Amino acid sequence: QVQLVESGGGSVQAGGSLRLSCVASGCTYNCDCLGWFRQAPGKEREGVATIYVGDYERYDESVRGRFTISRDIANKNAVYLQMTNLKPEDTAMYYCAATSGICLLNSRDFRFWGRGTQVTVSS
């Protein structure tokens, strides 16, 4: 059973930075793709960034240049999301997710999910 645990959320002012972490356990070949998604109140869950086992990264245009996704060098089942120049519209619950195969920004492609960590950006 794959389990993902996120950490690192919090409250910051606009322009600030946060680093989210996620550790996946129970993976065999089903965590080749790790991703970050977010969901704001009243909105659908949206893809933020994904990273494949070969370190190929994808970003939503709204975060490109501000967010960086990376996998831990020692533990490939740990993934980070470095968020800089945060904006109030980045406020959401952020979820870590894992899957094998297709590694796009579509939440329906992901099989395993964490419980989320809240990010709040004030203006």
Side-chain angles (χ1 to χ4, degrees):
Q1 181 76 15
V2 176
Q3 293 185 325
L4 300 107
V5 179
E6 305 98 332
S7 61
S11 297
V12 295
Q13 290 190 327
S17 300
L18 282 173
R19 186 186 193 220
L20 305 184
S21 300
C22 171
V23 179
S25 59
C27 297
T28 52
Y29 294 101
N30 44 15
C31 296
D32 286 350
C33 175
L34 295 173
W36 288 98
F37 294 78
R38 65 186 180 187
Q39 187 167 18
K43 295 188 176 181
E44 292 187 358
R45 189 169 298 189
E46 62 178 6
V48 176
T50 62
I51 185 166
Y52 194 62
V53 67
D55 293 335
Y56 184 78
E57 304 163 25
R58 290 180 184 272
Y59 295 95
D60 184 78
E61 284 304 314
S62 66
V63 305
R64 188 181 299 275
R66 300 189 297 123
F67 292 10
T68 302
I69 189 171
S70 62
R71 294 180 89 129
D72 190 273
I73 294 175
N75 178 9
K76 289 297 184 182
N77 292 329
V79 64
Y80 308 105
L81 186 68
Q82 179 68 48
M83 306 184 293
T84 63
N85 191 21
L86 282 159
K87 304 176 181 180
E89 51 263 43
D90 295 318
T91 295
M93 183 70 78
Y94 282 70
Y95 297 90
C96 179
T99 192
S100 59
I102 296 175
C103 195
L104 303 178
L105 293 170
N106 189 339
S107 61
R108 281 173 277 190
D109 293 331
F110 285 75
R111 181 178 177 186
F112 303 103
W113 293 85
R115 294 187 175 185
T117 185
Q118 178 68 37
V119 171
T120 303
V121 185
S122 58
S123 58

